Amino acid sequence: MFNLTNILRENIKTLTPYSSARDEFKGEAQVLLDANENAFGSPLDKNYNRYPDPLQHELKLKISGIKGVPARNIFLGNGSDEAIDILYRAFCRPGIDNVIIVPPTYGMYEVSANINDIAIKRVNLTPGFQLNLEGIAEAIDTNTKLIFICSPNNPTGNSINRSDIETLLANFNGIVVVDEAYINFSRQKTFIQELTEYANLVVLQTLSKAWGLAALRVGMAFASEEIIEVFNKIKPPYNINQASQELALKALENVEQVNGWIREIVGERDKLSAQLLKLECISYIYPSDANFILAQTSDPKRIYGYLVDKGIVVRDRSKVELCEGCLRITIGTPTENTALIHALTAFKGNS
Ligand SMILES: *Cc1c(COP(=O)(O)O)cnc(C)c1O
């Protein structure tokens, strides 16, 4: 059985978190002399001289309304990468514990493990880019604390079978992290409605992709209240700055505009895939539930260099295991996608 206190690191269990001025006094006051701010103001807007809300209540309420998840089940990080790092610091003892990743997948899980001195166990996806459940079961030992599943997966673009993720959630005594950075582009259902079902589930989402706010650095983690409390204990007190909180709140008013873009991107994705497949230098386009496609090409290095010369940058993933020959292409505007097709049409495989 999953038990949060069993897997929490001892130093985190007993940690007294930093208590900020904004934690110690909440409420209305005329004269704030508790945080060593500049009482005269800021060279920008008036409120920038004050420290921001450490727990981002207003922004979380807004997200709660959109996602249908209570605010107490939401953590906001400086990008979802901050949530990934906090997972390691909360649950993994450096030099002792390990985590499972399922390559080819998002690179930050491994980098963050290395930064925190946590061993990685790799259980490659199957040739169809699905979970190898038997391999994962064999890899799990008593020190395995986290399993990272990215769905839709980066860089392959496909969704991971829901029932396989459910099998892991039901049987693994550590935490299953489901990274849904690309969920808005997917036909698959999100896992954020399953938090009451699975105490060991952490779902990551972000405002960086579909929401078009990569520069603001706002990532979301959805989990049980107990896990969210652990996250809040560990995070830097003011991890989301005031400008990002205000701008994100404003941006979240525009659900309709974003949904329009998502529909357009999905339409462009299918159109671009069909056009690319007609080209001689492209042999296969993997089915995608994301805002990018993985394309199997005849000569990835040369095509990459050729495109750079034309002012078009894609991502060379050909050195990634199971992605040999592949370029990852983000869906652009119709004009950008046409420019890509034109450039690749003129690519001569043999010259
Ligand atoms: C882009 C991406 C993220 C990064 O999100 P930030 O919120 O910008 O840090 C997380 N996971 C995956 C799989 C991504 O591709």
Side-chain angles (χ1 to χ4, degrees):
M1 267 296 282
F2 173 78
N3 183 329
L4 186 63
T5 43
N6 285 353
I7 69 159
L8 205 53
R9 283 172 67 191
E10 201 56 38
N11 61 311
I12 300 301
K13 225 181 285 176
T14 57
L15 176 73
T16 306
Y18 178 74
S19 183
S20 68
R22 286 292 169 274
D23 288 320
E24 292 189 2
F25 179 82
K26 295 187 183 99
E28 297 299 314
Q30 294 299 315
V31 183
L32 286 171
L33 304 177
D34 58 347
N36 299 346
E37 299 147 336
N38 185 337
F40 288 78
S42 91
L44 301 168
D45 278 342
K46 179 79 181 137
N47 65 344
Y48 288 126
N49 60 328
R50 299 297 178 187
Y51 280 100
D53 175 3
L55 291 171
Q56 311 99 20
H57 288 96
E58 217 184 335
L59 184 51
K60 281 180 186 168
L61 269 182
K62 187 81 195 162
I63 292 170
S64 167
I66 293 172
K67 299 285 178 182
V69 173
R72 62 176 182 277
N73 295 111
I74 303 174
F75 165 84
L76 298 181
N78 186 2
S80 23
D81 290 349
E82 181 175 33
I84 294 169
D85 182 63
I86 291 180
L87 280 161
Y88 282 102
R89 290 193 283 155
F91 299 113
C92 302
R93 294 165 296 177
I96 300 172
D97 288 329
N98 67 75
V99 303
I100 292 177
I101 63 168
V102 291
T105 193
Y106 184 49
M108 264 325 274
Y109 314 139
E110 179 160 358
V111 173
S112 204
N114 290 336
I115 291 169
N116 288 289
D117 191 18
I118 306 302
I120 290 267
K121 294 191 176 200
R122 287 179 196 76
V123 182
N124 281 357
L125 294 174
T126 65
F129 297 145
Q130 290 299 329
L131 297 179
N132 170 1
L133 283 183
E134 264 180 45
I136 291 173
E138 277 168 31
I140 293 171
D141 64 33
T142 51
N143 291 333
T144 305
K145 296 299 168 67
L146 310 170
I147 301 178
F148 285 94
I149 308 293
C150 187
S151 181
N153 188 36
N154 179 2
T156 59
N158 65 298
S159 295
I160 304 298
N161 292 335
R162 191 177 183 84
S163 58
D164 288 352
I165 298 175
E166 287 167 345
T167 300
L168 288 181
L169 283 164
N171 294 294
F172 180 49
N173 290 332
I175 286 182
V176 178
V177 184
V178 182
D179 187 341
E180 296 186 338
Y182 300 98
I183 192 69
N184 307 71
F185 306 102
S186 174
R187 287 158 287 210
Q188 296 292 314
K189 219 173 88 193
T190 170
F191 267 91
I192 59 175
Q193 309 306 336
E194 317 302 324
L195 297 176
T196 46
E197 189 79 18
Y198 301 108
N200 60 342
L201 170 63
V202 174
V203 181
L204 304 180
Q205 292 187 6
T206 179
L207 298 185
S208 298
K209 306 285 159 65
W211 279 94
L213 300 169
L216 296 193
R217 311 306 303 129
V218 179
M220 303 167 270
F222 302 89
S224 72
E225 207 173 337
E226 292 72 28
I227 293 178
I228 296 300
E229 276 168 17
V230 171
F231 273 53
N232 287 337
K233 233 171 126 171
I234 297 175
K235 79 179 186 69
Y238 304 110
N239 63 326
I240 310 285
N241 70 67
Q242 180 66 21
S244 287
Q245 290 191 43
E246 285 173 8
L247 290 169
L249 199 58
K250 197 167 151 210
L252 290 168
E253 292 294 326
N254 300 309
V255 180
E256 281 316 310
Q257 180 184 31
V258 170
N259 283 340
W261 280 332
I262 292 167
R263 281 192 294 274
E264 240 186 296
I265 289 166
V266 167
E268 282 294 310
R269 177 184 76 200
D270 298 343
K271 201 172 112 195
L272 182 68
S273 303
Q275 289 173 323
L276 286 170
L277 256 184
K278 289 187 194 145
L279 303 176
E280 206 173 324
C281 61
I282 307 285
S283 53
Y284 188 68
I285 303 289
Y286 290 91
S288 172
D289 265 345
N291 67 338
F292 59 84
I293 48 174
L294 190 68
Q296 185 94 52
T297 72
S298 53
D299 193 346
K301 270 193 77 160
R302 270 193 56 219
I303 296 171
Y304 176 85
Y306 167 85
L307 287 174
V308 167
D309 287 343
K310 304 253 171 201
I312 299 172
V313 192
V314 298
R315 193 107 151 101
D316 183 358
R317 299 280 80 186
S318 61
K319 284 188 194 63
V320 174
E321 206 177 352
L322 296 181
C323 295
E324 292 82 7
C326 288
L327 297 174
R328 193 193 70 191
I329 303 169
T330 306
I331 308 306
T333 63
T335 314
E336 290 171 335
N337 300 333
T338 303
L340 174 73
I341 291 294
H342 278 160
L344 283 178
T345 304
F347 177 76
K348 294 283 174 286
N350 305 313
S351 61

